[in-house]
Amino acid sequence: MEKPESKKIYSLRKITVEPVYGNLKENLGFRGFLLRGLEKVKIELNLVCIAHNLQKIWKLSREKQEILTKKRENKGVQQRIYDIIVGLVQNLCYV
């Protein structure tokens, strides 16, 4: 850890690894394995990873849906502004 290159590599850990473990422990409540034996532990870890990935997919789909909803709302606002401007122009032309 004395070399600058080692410090740089270690600093990436908080970006890549630590958030995953934090999510597993705090949000999913995974503190340790309930089963014993390598094969059973592998299966349990796979289930925890599936839960973590499903959570990420759900979050991303919600964010995408919110973006699409905002775009639709903006189109509605833009259409109303356009209608107001057209109405004003028509009123000015008839005066």
Side-chain angles (χ1 to χ4, degrees), residues 65-82:
Q65 185 63 34
E66 288 174 6
I67 290 170
L68 292 174
T69 302
K70 286 181 182 178
K71 283 184 179 179
R72 280 190 221 117
E73 289 172 358
N74 287 342
K75 285 184 180 178
V77 170
Q78 291 171 350
Q79 183 63 42
R80 280 184 254 140
I81 292 171
Y82 175 78

Side-chain angles (χ1 to χ4, degrees), residues 2-54:
E2 295 176 8
K3 297 179 183 177
E5 184 179 330
S6 300
K7 288 181 181 180
K8 184 177 180 181
I9 292 171
Y10 186 76
S11 70
L12 293 176
R13 180 180 171 90
K14 63 184 168 195
I15 298 170
T16 57
V17 177
E18 294 298 331
V20 174
Y21 288 126
N23 180 46
L24 295 179
K25 289 174 76 174
E26 289 298 317
N27 299 332
L28 298 179
F30 182 75
R31 298 286 179 172
F33 294 100
L34 300 174
L35 304 174
R36 298 291 173 245
L38 185 58
E39 288 302 314
K40 292 178 184 175
V41 168
K42 284 181 180 180
I43 292 169
E44 191 173 354
L45 182 61
N46 282 337
L47 288 172
V48 170
C49 291
I50 289 169
H52 173 75
N53 288 329
L54 286 173

Side-chain angles (χ1 to χ4, degrees), residues 77-93:
V77 170
Q78 291 171 350
Q79 183 63 42
R80 280 184 254 140
I81 292 171
Y82 175 78
D83 292 341
I84 291 170
I85 292 172
V86 168
L88 289 173
V89 170
Q90 287 175 347
N91 286 340
L92 289 174
C93 290

